[in-house]
Amino acid sequence: MAIFRSGALTAGGAVLVGLLTACGAGGSSTASAPQTLPGTAGPASATQSGTSGTTAATTPAAPAASTGSTGSTGSSSSQTTRTAASGTRCHTSELRASVGRNDPGAGQENFPVVLTNRSGRTCTVYGYPGAAFVNGSGKQVGPDPKRVSGKSTTVTLAPGASAWAGLTFSNPEISGAHSTTPAAILVTPPDETTSLKVTWSQGTVPTSGNASSVYLTVLGAGTGP
């Protein structure tokens, strides 16, 4: 699986509206130990997505998102902030991944993909996670999710704190897309190359054909909107 490429949404306005109005937190599945799976759910740094900032993961807040084009890498002061934060980056071994409760709406399925700091130190995440659906043999099913353009901020995670990204797609029974039921979703923290495997128990996902795109937002503080 290729590393995600940042890009603008042209026809995803309805998807984004569904995400921002419907996506919610809830029960989550427990991730297994980190797995090194080369070529699948690769690292997803987000230096492409607008001006960076700093957000503490103390109060849940929705990830910023828009349907406009992807911004520049930001000002020199933003680059300084990003460089300083890189030394405290959360590594895969320090995180736990989970998928929250689906909150469907307007034909959309909406899930928060959550990364929680399970280490004893404070660390940071920035940008987009990597994500890939896989079958029982570990083979990827469906294309990489597309990124919803948004402003990336450095989210500081104290021990036990979480950050989330919204995962959304059209219900294949409504859209008519070809679908499959994956066994798991692999989640890769930003700038990391090792994935966390989360059992997928949320039913079918679109994998090809019309309206088969899956969308992923930038990480924000908390476990959902």
Side-chain angles (χ1 to χ4, degrees):
M1 184 195 74
I3 295 174
F4 286 156
R5 304 297 178 196
S6 153
L9 267 178
T10 56
V15 174
L16 180 57
V17 170
L19 171 64
L20 295 181
T21 58
C23 185
S28 60
S29 55
T30 303
S32 66
Q35 294 189 355
T36 301
L37 298 168
T40 305
S45 73
T47 56
Q48 303 97 330
S49 299
T51 304
S52 63
T54 303
T55 303
T58 54
T59 303
S66 71
T67 56
S69 60
T70 304
S72 64
T73 56
S75 65
S76 58
S77 60
S78 299
Q79 293 297 331
T80 300
T81 300
R82 179 72 180 113
T83 300
S86 64
T88 61
R89 187 178 83 239
C90 296
H91 300 292
T92 302
S93 60
E94 299 175 302
L95 298 169
R96 178 177 68 253
S98 59
V99 177
R101 175 180 57 85
N102 182 22
D103 193 355
Q108 299 298 118
E109 309 301 325
N110 305 292
F111 302 90
V113 175
V114 182
L115 292 172
T116 301
N117 181 5
R118 66 186 186 91
S119 75
R121 75 177 184 105
T122 296
C123 59
T124 62
V125 291
Y126 175 91
Y128 298 82
F133 292 111
V134 295
N135 61 21
S137 300
K139 181 179 179 181
Q140 183 174 344
V141 293
D144 295 346
K146 297 181 179 180
R147 291 179 175 182
V148 176
S149 297
K151 179 182 178 181
S152 296
T153 60
T154 298
V155 183
T156 300
L157 300 180
S162 300
W164 73 284
L167 181 79
T168 186
F169 52 84
S170 295
N171 184 318
E173 293 184 4
I174 297 174
S175 69
H178 298 295
S179 64
T180 189
T181 302
I185 183 172
L186 303 181
V187 181
T188 309
D191 299 310
E192 293 290 296
T193 57
T194 305
S195 301
L196 295 160
K197 184 177 181 181
V198 183
T199 299
W200 182 260
S201 58
Q202 308 290 349
T204 60
V205 300
T207 53
S208 64
N210 218 9
S212 61
S213 295
V214 177
Y215 296 91
L216 192 65
T217 70
V218 70
L219 284 164
T223 57

